[in-house]
Amino acid sequence: MYPVAVSTDAMNSANHYSTAGRAQAGIKPSTSTYLGSVAEGELERKVSEATPPDAAAAALVRPECTVSLTCNRETSTSSRADMDVQGMMAVVCTHIIPCLGLALAMTAHEHHGYYERLLEYLMPRRPDLRFIYLDLMCRFAHKVPTIIKSLKRRGLIHPDAVCAPELLVPWMHSFDHNMECQLEYSPLYRLGAGCRVGEQTEQLWAKIKSFSKIARYMAFHHYWDNMNLLLEAITLRTQATLPSTLRRQVNKNEAKIGELGGDIWEQQIALDGQHQLAAAAGDCAAPPPTPAHRADLYLPLSSR
């Protein structure tokens, strides 16, 4: 059973012109599946302010990473005057499926406050969350304990619940960070997370980028509703093709293991034989027999 893990990031090109469809400005969106209550709250708030971390959390801040991150803002009041949506932010699972209610239309430039709102919505619903991937996590991680403490104080998470997700930078992004930061936040150096991609949001953005070039000129309610419909279509298609995709990957891995593992096993048998011959000649003591279960490591899963 894989631990629950999510990735989150922003895409500036999923924006919307404020003058588009002005004649239909009074029509409200009719959907709230992915762009939902969190996004609506941000539109009403206009600019979200980041929550300052408490003293205990601030003390956990490690030496700042030297990489330059233009998206690393505590707060933001700036925005393009001709845009009522500056971009989109989303949370996706490890299978590149966007999470319900966790897409957000940004009314200002990307900043910490948006990620706080998303985590405040997500963590009470999934307190079993194990990994969170964010490209600026080295600058944001010290705020997560404050968010969890606030949720417990407000009764949104049980006070005794164990809610301590591991905070990581996606492995591809982490190569831009200095080595100290990579050792702390890269999943390649974290037990149980090294096999995870962590770049799922980038793959989601690739799927909606072409549509975003059209959506920015739609009336706002069309932009909102069609984004929700597109995210739903991506979800349904991914769910439909996921079993066959995983099966193909398993078959590919089994073939590779069989190819490489068979060679390794044959070499081990030959090496054991050489040791036995040497021991019979009195040159050295006979080695312990090769454990029978070792061969099983190189057999296809379907053959075990």
Side-chain angles (χ1 to χ4, degrees):
M1 192 75 182
Y2 281 113
V4 179
V6 297
S7 302
T8 181
D9 198 4
M11 178 184 179
N12 293 327
S13 60
N15 48 24
H16 180 261
Y17 284 106
S18 57
T19 56
R22 192 155 40 184
Q24 303 178 44
I27 303 177
K28 301 296 182 183
S30 59
T31 59
S32 59
T33 47
Y34 299 92
L35 284 166
S37 58
V38 176
E40 290 167 359
E42 289 302 332
L43 289 174
E44 294 169 0
R45 194 193 327 260
K46 295 300 180 185
V47 176
S48 170
E49 295 186 358
T51 304
D54 58 26
L60 298 176
V61 179
R62 299 181 181 274
E64 185 168 309
C65 181
T66 56
V67 68
S68 176
L69 296 171
T70 57
C71 57
N72 180 48
R73 307 179 186 91
E74 290 286 336
T75 60
S76 177
T77 57
S78 62
S79 60
R80 285 185 54 176
D82 58 340
M83 295 279 184
D84 53 3
V85 175
Q86 306 298 316
M88 183 183 293
M89 189 175 287
V91 178
V92 301
C93 75
T94 52
H95 298 109
I96 322 174
I97 295 176
C99 300
L100 288 170
L102 286 166
L104 191 152
M106 301 186 297
T107 56
H109 293 311
E110 179 182 0
H111 62 278
H112 290 191
Y114 288 136
Y115 292 113
E116 292 178 21
R117 301 290 88 78
L118 291 176
L119 291 183
E120 287 175 354
Y121 184 88
L122 171 64
M123 297 182 77
R125 292 162 175 80
R126 292 309 303 251
D128 58 337
L129 191 61
R130 173 77 183 279
F131 298 107
I132 302 175
Y133 293 86
L134 174 62
D135 57 357
L136 51 83
M137 188 61 80
C138 58
R139 315 291 176 85
F140 183 78
H142 65 285
K143 293 189 174 184
V144 177
T146 304
I147 295 172
I148 295 174
K149 181 187 290 186
S150 173
L151 293 171
K152 288 186 175 183
R153 185 176 60 249
R154 290 150 55 191
L156 298 176
I157 296 179
H158 193 279
D160 298 328
V162 178
C163 186
E166 297 188 48
L167 311 173
L168 303 170
V169 175
W171 71 268
M172 186 181 74
H173 281 81
S174 69
F175 287 124
D176 290 332
H177 296 235
N178 59 31
M179 183 52 65
E180 181 180 0
C181 182
Q182 290 186 43
L183 293 173
E184 178 67 23
Y185 293 105
S186 172
L188 299 179
Y189 302 100
R190 190 69 64 91
L191 184 64
C195 62
R196 298 185 174 279
V197 176
E199 302 288 353
Q200 282 81 358
T201 43
E202 300 295 340
Q203 297 178 59
L204 177 66
W205 300 147
K207 294 180 179 182
I208 71 172
K209 186 174 183 179
S210 58
F211 176 74
S212 300
K213 297 177 182 179
I214 302 172
R216 63 170 62 110
Y217 298 104
M218 296 178 175
F220 181 75
H221 68 285
H222 285 156
Y223 166 88
W224 182 287
D225 289 337
N226 281 287
M227 277 294 184
N228 275 332
L229 291 173
L230 176 59
L231 292 173
E232 182 179 15
I234 292 172
T235 298
L236 294 175
R237 181 173 181 177
T238 302
Q239 290 174 334
T241 59
L242 186 59
S244 58
T245 301
L246 292 176
R247 184 67 258 175
R248 286 196 302 270
Q249 188 62 45
V250 168
N251 292 340
K252 180 180 178 181
N253 291 343
E254 287 185 342
K256 196 66 174 178
I257 291 173
E259 176 186 341
L260 298 178
D263 293 340
I264 294 173
W265 180 237
E266 289 174 3
Q267 293 173 15
Q268 182 63 49
I269 292 176
L271 183 61
D272 289 346
Q274 292 174 11
H275 277 288
Q276 295 293 344
L277 290 174
D283 294 337
C284 62
T290 302
H293 64 78
R294 187 186 301 174
D296 183 60
L297 295 177
Y298 305 108
L299 292 176
L301 296 176
S302 56
S303 302
R304 297 182 190 176

